[in-house]
Amino acid sequence: MTTDQQTPPNETAGEYPKFYYPPENVVENANVTAYAREKGFANADELYAWTIENPQQFWGEMATKFLDWYQPWEKVLDDSNAPFFKWFTGAKTNVVHNAIDRHATGANKDKAAIIWESEQGETKTYTYAQLAAEVNRFANILKSQGVEKGDRVTVYLSRVPELVIAMLAIVKIGAMHSVVYGGFSTEALHSRIEDAKSKVLVTGDGGWMNNKIVELKKITDEAVDRAEDIVKSVIVLKRTGHDITMKEGRDHWWHDLAAQPGMDDPCPTEQMDTEDPMFMLYTSGTTGAPKGLVHACGGYQVQVATTLSFVFDIKPDDVYWCAADPGWITGHSYIVYGPLMLGATEVIYEGAPSYPNPGRWWDVAAKYGVTILYTAPTAIRGLMRFGEEWPNKYDLSKLRLLGSVGEPINPEAWRWYHRVIGKDRCPIMDTWWQTETGAFMITPNPTTPLKPGSGTKPFFGIEADVLTEEGEPATGADDGLLVIKKPWPSMLRTIYGDPKRYVEQYWTRLPGFYTAGDAARKDEDGYYWVIGRIDDVIKVSGYRLGTAEVESALVSHPAVAEAAAIGLPHELKGQAIHPYVILRQGFEASDALAEELRKHVGKEMGPIARPETINFVPGLPKTRSGKIMRRVLKARALGLPEGDTSTLEA
Ligand code: WTA
């Protein structure tokens, strides 16, 4: 499709091309090329134009191309109650049928679904048939604990196959999972249990990270003690085998429950309506507590399967590795559901990328012959720091495609990833999307000429733009608000328990359009450049954290009267947290107290939220109505103009 190849530039001499073109064979063999040709188009751009004219036809075709349905839909899109859009109405489905059941009984039954390795050196492989048996058993276990269709089950585990098994089993019986990232801690877990009202929680004794045990059960106990009236049953996976306390009547070992009679009896996969909720996932937003974003059974799977096939170009013999955590949306869509729907073989790695040495990831990639690697800029920057000699020790010749997600990738890291890991032959899919969008929205595909740092253009069927606050196109070098102009199948359906907030948060700033909360720029070639968040979200190592949660963790410490957190640039993490703290009377600022507060936030929220510095201050800039102006704090910290401070309290 793309034919105007150019001479490869000499990167070390500092000559960079405007575009990086994908290799001809990658373009020629791409899934998306095949589909474009089937539709009679010469290239992906022509296909895109058609999908924008005919989005419903496009998504309808995708729904049949990639998935099976118990009962077909009547309408692809029902927009009669916008912005509460409905997709594939009238159909019956379950993603577990598409991800597990049909493979386990079909040609893929003996194919490896998951190859798991931990930093401690353990490995395990599950074929599709074995995975189906595990999911079936755990579905019966959940039922034995009283879980019913529509119930929420909180899952708090490290990156083990049982996390995937638990999620699939929950959806199999029509319940909703609420996965809490295993790196979060007591208060983060507690507030999510409290909001979701989960009567059953799945956890483990511990997990491994950098040769240390993460105390999952201990943290669970502290969190559940604060929500005793809600959680009735805690299912505990034996993973690390270290000593933990089990509470009589409430806590049960996974393996003991599995030994109950009847647990291997076939458990039917629940036939769901397409708009039934499938899962919720908490994420940080503009203000206040994290919100539970709800995704639905029908459209989510369609867009996840389509994007994974067309962007990461999964073929039957690929070995795909998404190094994210299943506890975040990237893991939900592109570890748990996407690859399994497509019948792929995937690698899951538990632990630190540099344990026991900085070659570990490359060792894993070489050992399993990974062909597609999808990770985050922070991980690339982290591994880049150890030098090229580490990846160069391993055979990475099987790699065909690379991916990036979670924050803008700086061109330097992009070029290193492209040259050192991809040996100049693997295009990088820089995928822009969000927990809210469920699947890729702005992303290259393997036929797209790339520019380092740009997510290129919207995916097929997706209409995006960059607009000013007045709704006019932002032009030239000006940034504007990144918006999505039309509904898409994997969109969030609501905020759990708070539909009003869903409308206010996403659909009112520019009426009729979805505002993403990101600032972006569109260049002369129509390429999108995402600049970053325009709200109180901080992206630490690609993880999405809210200032409000960090602040509330700080004020839960007896020394703190008031706190305001901001994110400032950090070389490896992208952004790091820098709170400003007013102390209560009787407490004095000191290095020891600063350290204590950092630890306190780490304990309540999790190690990723641990602040970089603590700034003790006598006051905070506030509006006359008492709202803290974090923007002013940030400008001051960066030595930038403070902007409009007319509402600042005198
Ligand atoms: C940011 C992660 C630039 C963005 C899938 C977005 C990105 C937020 C990219 C969502 C990218 C994600 N380039 N920025 N390729 N991908 N972001 O919900 O600010 O954890 O709004 O979803 O991450 O974060 P979330």
Side-chain angles (χ1 to χ4, degrees):
M1 286 181 175
T2 308
T3 47
D4 53 336
Q5 295 276 347
Q6 45 183 34
T7 340
N10 180 352
E11 287 228 345
T12 39
E15 300 163 18
Y16 302 130
K18 182 174 179 191
F19 288 108
Y20 285 71
Y21 290 92
E24 203 54 46
N25 64 326
V26 169
V27 176
E28 188 55 32
N29 298 321
N31 292 344
V32 70
T33 303
Y35 179 65
R37 287 187 183 148
E38 191 186 309
K39 298 293 294 174
F41 298 118
N43 57 43
D45 286 343
E46 283 186 18
L47 172 62
Y48 175 78
W50 174 78
T51 63
I52 291 307
E53 291 301 311
N54 306 281
Q56 296 191 37
Q57 190 184 338
F58 169 67
W59 290 119
E61 281 187 25
M62 296 300 103
T64 10
K65 183 176 171 70
F66 293 110
L67 306 171
D68 296 341
W69 301 78
Y70 295 124
Q71 182 183 300
W73 54 90
E74 284 150 18
K75 252 180 142 174
V76 172
L77 171 65
D78 174 355
D79 56 5
S80 58
N81 186 27
F84 297 93
F85 297 97
K86 293 179 179 166
W87 287 85
F88 302 100
T89 49
K92 290 275 184 196
T93 188
N94 193 316
V95 67
V96 173
H97 172 80
N98 287 311
I100 299 291
D101 303 353
R102 63 174 178 165
H103 300 303
T105 50
N108 285 333
K109 74 178 191 319
D110 297 323
K111 181 177 177 178
I114 295 175
I115 303 170
W116 174 79
E117 178 165 323
S118 89
E119 60 162 44
Q120 299 294 311
E122 307 132 290
T123 63
K124 238 196 248 177
T125 300
Y126 292 83
T127 63
Y128 274 92
Q130 288 165 337
L131 192 59
E134 298 287 341
V135 170
N136 185 79
R137 186 177 309 127
F138 199 66
N140 281 324
I141 292 178
L142 289 166
K143 283 189 167 171
S144 79
Q145 296 306 297
V147 179
E148 290 172 2
K149 183 173 174 178
D151 285 349
R152 283 82 47 215
V153 178
T154 297
V155 184
Y156 180 60
L157 273 166
S158 64
R159 212 171 295 174
V160 288
E162 287 81 357
L163 171 51
V164 180
I165 290 164
M167 290 167 72
L168 289 161
I170 290 164
V171 173
K172 183 178 170 74
I173 62 172
M176 293 166 78
H177 50 72
S178 163
V179 180
V180 178
Y181 169 54
F184 270 141
S185 204
T186 313
E187 187 45 37
L189 177 59
H190 164 247
S191 61
R192 286 157 177 78
I193 294 170
E194 190 82 43
D195 188 75
K197 306 254 175 304
S198 312
K199 53 185 183 196
V200 174
L201 186 144
V202 186
T203 188
D205 48 358
W208 284 105
M209 183 50 88
N210 229 348
N211 207 26
K212 287 203 197 83
I213 287 179
V214 182
E215 294 280 354
L216 295 174
K217 180 62 168 60
K218 198 163 157 248
I219 294 167
T220 299
D221 289 342
E222 290 167 5
V224 173
D225 283 348
R226 297 180 196 180
E228 254 180 343
D229 48 330
I230 297 174
V231 180
K232 300 294 171 224
S233 166
V234 176
I235 305 174
V236 187
L237 174 75
K238 193 167 211 140
R239 161 82 189 93
T240 45
H242 72 300
D243 269 350
I244 54 157
T245 12
M246 295 286 281
K247 189 167 172 181
E248 187 69 37
R250 185 196 72 184
D251 300 349
H252 314 274
W253 287 108
W254 180 312
H255 57 264
D256 286 344
L257 295 176
Q260 300 173 109
M263 292 299 110
D264 285 328
D265 294 351
C267 171
T269 300
E270 197 70 34
Q271 302 202 1
M272 306 294 283
D273 287 338
T274 41
E275 285 300 317
D276 281 339
M278 176 180 156
F279 67 87
M280 60 201 289
L281 184 55
Y282 285 87
T283 195
S284 314
T286 302
T287 49
K291 42 193 194 232
L293 305 188
V294 179
H295 282 282
C297 289
Y300 172 79
Q301 52 175 349
V302 174
Q303 193 171 334
V304 169
T306 309
T307 47
L308 186 61
S309 173
F310 283 178
V311 175
F312 281 114
D313 203 36
I314 308 269
K315 308 273 185 6
D317 48 3
D318 269 315
V319 179
Y320 164 89
W321 180 16
C322 169
D325 196 282
W328 299 85
I329 193 68
T330 308
H332 280 54
S333 300
Y334 298 106
I335 295 177
V336 181
Y337 296 109
L340 300 178
M341 279 191 278
L342 298 182
T345 295
E346 66 173 324
V347 171
I348 298 180
Y349 173 77
E350 181 200 23
S354 52
Y355 183 81
N357 64 53
R360 185 56 186 274
W361 261 24
W362 316 123
D363 181 34
V364 169
K367 183 168 162 192
Y368 299 112
V370 170
T371 55
I372 302 162
L373 173 65
Y374 184 30
T375 184
T378 186
I380 298 159
R381 288 192 297 264
L383 291 166
M384 198 171 141
R385 186 168 55 131
F386 298 110
E388 296 177 27
E389 54 275 26
W390 285 103
N392 287 346
K393 284 184 196 173
Y394 301 91
D395 177 9
L396 301 178
S397 62
K398 292 258 172 63
L399 281 173
R400 182 173 95 248
L401 281 175
L402 300 173
S404 175
V405 62
E407 53 170 321
I409 180 164
N410 48 310
E412 193 199 355
W414 194 100
R415 291 198 179 94
W416 188 86
Y417 195 26
H418 191 257
R419 178 174 60 81
V420 177
I421 307 305
K423 313 292 181 212
D424 290 323
R425 68 156 203 273
C426 305
I428 299 175
M429 303 296 107
D430 180 355
T431 59
W432 177 87
W433 58 297
Q434 309 177 293
T435 310
E436 289 86 345
T437 69
F440 305 155
M441 299 296 281
I442 297 175
T443 174
N445 64 62
T447 74
T448 313
L450 305 171
K451 296 187 189 185
S454 166
T456 75
K457 294 183 180 182
F459 186 74
F460 307 104
I462 303 297
E463 225 178 311
D465 211 342
V466 178
L467 302 178
T468 64
E469 289 281 358
E470 291 71 44
E472 302 296 327
T475 50
D478 288 344
D479 21 301
L481 303 170
L482 180 55
V483 302
I484 309 298
K485 293 175 124 170
K486 297 271 169 64
W488 62 99
S490 63
M491 64 197 302
L492 77 161
R493 296 306 196 262
T494 190
I495 292 175
Y496 187 72
D498 201 349
K500 222 173 111 212
R501 192 167 164 202
Y502 162 73
V503 179
E504 279 162 11
Q505 175 107 30
Y506 302 108
W507 299 95
T508 46
R509 194 155 178 173
L510 290 170
F513 295 155
Y514 169 87
T515 35
D518 277 342
R521 214 157 34 81
K522 206 159 81 168
D523 72 14
E524 68 280 7
D525 298 308
Y527 277 44
Y528 286 72
W529 299 79
V530 173
I531 294 159
R533 301 289 308 183
I534 45 172
D535 53 13
D536 298 329
V537 169
I538 307 180
K539 277 276 178 163
V540 182
S541 302
Y543 294 122
R544 181 165 163 180
L545 299 171
T547 51
E549 266 195 298
V550 176
E551 290 158 6
S552 90
L554 279 165
V555 296
S556 73
H557 187 281
V560 179
E562 219 177 333
I566 58 168
L568 294 176
H570 185 282
E571 206 184 331
L572 290 181
K573 301 177 185 171
Q575 281 190 302
I577 301 174
H578 294 261
Y580 290 73
V581 164
I582 304 176
L583 291 176
R584 284 184 194 281
Q585 272 193 343
F587 289 91
E588 277 206 28
S590 68
D591 288 350
L593 182 56
E595 185 53 27
E596 190 180 319
L597 293 179
R598 292 177 63 235
K599 279 204 184 124
H600 177 74
V601 176
K603 183 171 181 303
E604 289 295 309
M605 277 280 292
I608 42 162
R610 190 186 284 213
E612 204 67 12
T613 58
I614 300 277
N615 303 287
F616 296 105
V617 288
L620 290 167
K622 284 185 187 166
T623 61
R624 274 178 226 114
S625 58
K627 218 175 153 243
I628 297 170
M629 295 181 88
R630 294 185 190 80
R631 174 173 67 73
V632 171
L633 285 172
K634 196 163 176 168
R636 284 180 191 165
L638 294 170
L640 297 170
E642 290 183 14
D644 179 10
T645 50
S646 57
T647 60
L648 200 63
E649 195 182 38

